[in-house]
Amino acid sequence: NGDEDTKKAAALPTFREYLTSSENSPNTGGLSSVLQTLSEACVEIQREVDLAPIRAAAGKGSNATSSSSSSRNASGDEQKELDLVANEILISRLRECPSVAIGASEENDEIIQMSEGTAGAEGKSYAVVFDPLDGSRNVECNIPVGSIFGVYEHDEALGVLRPGRDLVAAGYVLYSSSCLLVLTRGDGVDGFTLDREAGEFVLTHPDLRVRERGQIYSVNDARYWDWPQGLRDFIDAIRRGEGTGGGGQYSARYVCSLVADVHRTLLYGGLAMNPRSHLRLLYEGFPMAFVMEQAGGKGVNGKTNLLDMTPSGLHQKTPVFVGSSGDIAELLSYGDVVQTSTKTYSV
């Protein structure tokens, strides 16, 4: 019954308790406050996602399906009103956290100055990079969307144009049938579910690990004829059950919402990919690769490990392939798997 469910939920560690627990936390003070702030901001974003269709129908704004007056962000993507709402929530919340010195968002052209970056208990301040609402075009049809984030120790000289290896934490929040937060601090991956009644995340998926091989691939294969031969050969092989993993024929599952596709891959194995330079290295590629690697998988750009790259700019784009290490290794064995054409698509 309801009372028993409440008692069971109360027995699960909250996100705050997880962060402050000495047995779980490699870093205390400043980093924990940054991550707690991010979790609270994402609870607010979840509410906005839930309410967006109601507000749109009532003519009260926050219509996720309408374009903002800004039209497009620095990455060239059309901005929805809900993109800007989510962005403002994250910026406002992070500015209230004294341990955050600077931020960078997919929706902003330049670095965002936050607080003075007061050092936390471990004597450090932080830089946060984020995609405030990935997949916002899907809100109208009620397909899952998400927020993605990465955290660096702040270095005034380097800013955020640093290799993904420098990340000290990364994760994502999936706004779906339940609201899930997935986090790594470089010591494995844990998952948390939002208790909507309590308004906070609780630990529900400790020590997430991606299997060595999966049987699902995720890509928009309507673009098949625009791909290089190597990628076509790889997809043909796993479709026919002729991959080196020996696991039989693969199935295709594709949401076109990066957080949803990566999360399914994390749970079930296989690989999720966008073979053209379309995703942002800093806001999407790095965090997803860090999460996947900490869960036992890999993230590559089709040639090298994503985490070994150094961004040349805040909005540099890259191909992204993330998933089970065995599947990624087989993909790379085909050599030419990156779509290099500059063709654009209207849908």
Side-chain angles (χ1 to χ4, degrees):
N1 58 39
D3 290 340
E4 289 178 354
D5 289 341
T6 301
K7 289 178 182 178
K8 289 177 182 177
L12 298 172
T14 66
F15 189 64
R16 187 185 298 274
E17 290 168 342
Y18 166 89
L19 291 174
T20 57
S21 169
S22 58
E23 66 179 10
N24 283 326
S25 183
N27 301 286
T28 57
L31 180 58
S32 292
S33 68
V34 173
L35 296 173
Q36 179 65 31
T37 297
L38 285 165
S39 76
E40 292 170 357
C42 290
V43 172
E44 287 188 48
I45 294 171
Q46 171 68 74
R47 294 193 194 106
E48 292 296 329
V49 171
D50 286 346
L51 290 171
I54 297 171
R55 288 178 173 165
K60 294 183 178 180
S62 293
N63 183 355
T65 67
S66 67
S67 299
S68 75
S69 58
S70 301
S71 185
R72 295 187 181 275
N73 61 20
S75 298
D77 296 328
E78 184 180 21
Q79 288 178 309
K80 304 295 185 180
E81 287 189 29
L82 198 54
D83 287 314
L84 302 183
V85 170
N87 194 45
E88 185 55 39
I89 288 171
L90 277 162
I91 292 172
S92 297
R93 280 286 193 165
L94 290 170
R95 278 184 169 150
E96 293 171 0
C97 179
S99 294
V100 180
I102 61 172
S105 168
E106 182 182 314
E107 303 301 334
N108 289 70
D109 293 351
E110 306 293 340
I111 287 288
I112 306 161
Q113 296 301 320
M114 298 296 189
S115 68
E116 295 299 319
T118 306
E122 74 276 23
K124 300 168 185 173
S125 58
Y126 297 90
V128 183
V129 298
F130 52 92
D131 180 350
L133 196 66
D134 176 77
S136 58
R137 72 171 72 178
N138 290 322
V139 173
E140 182 180 15
C141 54
N142 213 29
I143 286 175
V145 293
S147 299
I148 309 170
F149 60 87
V151 183
Y152 292 96
E153 288 183 9
H154 179 49
D155 184 311
E156 194 167 344
L158 295 174
V160 297
L161 297 182
R162 302 155 65 180
R165 295 278 174 211
D166 288 355
L167 286 168
V168 296
Y172 57 83
V173 175
L174 175 63
Y175 310 113
S176 186
S177 54
S178 59
C179 180
L180 298 172
L181 186 159
V182 173
L183 172 71
T184 181
R185 293 171 297 176
D187 59 343
V189 180
D190 295 298
F192 307 80
T193 300
L194 178 63
D195 180 339
R196 293 178 191 252
E197 292 185 2
E200 61 184 344
F201 288 95
V202 295
L203 180 63
T204 52
H205 298 74
D207 194 24
L208 286 166
R209 303 290 296 173
V210 64
R211 61 190 67 182
E212 170 69 18
R213 296 293 303 237
Q215 210 168 335
I216 296 172
Y217 73 92
S218 180
V219 67
N220 185 351
D221 51 10
R223 315 289 189 228
Y224 179 91
W225 296 111
D226 298 326
W227 294 344
Q229 192 62 49
L231 182 56
R232 280 190 253 168
D233 289 345
F234 169 71
I235 294 296
D236 288 345
I238 61 175
R239 281 173 175 170
R240 292 192 297 259
E242 297 173 0
T244 60
Q249 289 180 288
Y250 278 47
S251 292
R253 300 284 186 274
Y254 182 62
V255 179
C256 193
S257 177
L258 180 65
V259 175
D261 284 321
V262 169
H263 187 67
R264 182 193 54 249
T265 302
L266 177 63
L267 295 185
Y268 301 149
L271 67 171
M273 63 190 109
N274 191 322
R276 62 193 180 105
S277 289
H278 180 71
L279 299 176
R280 271 58 52 172
L281 178 61
L282 195 58
Y283 313 114
E284 296 163 312
F286 279 169
M288 291 311 199
F290 191 31
V291 168
M292 197 62 71
E293 186 170 289
Q294 285 298 314
K298 272 194 171 183
V300 299
N301 68 353
K303 297 178 180 178
T304 61
N305 195 304
L306 283 166
L307 296 177
D308 294 328
M309 298 175 67
T310 300
S312 59
L314 290 177
H315 301 284
Q316 179 183 341
K317 294 183 178 181
T318 181
V320 170
F321 305 80
V322 294
S324 299
S325 59
D327 288 300
I328 294 294
E330 181 174 355
L331 167 82
L332 294 178
S333 74
Y334 282 80
D336 185 15
V337 296
V338 173
Q339 181 180 337
T340 57
S341 77
T342 57
K343 184 176 181 178
T344 59
Y345 305 96
S346 60
V347 180

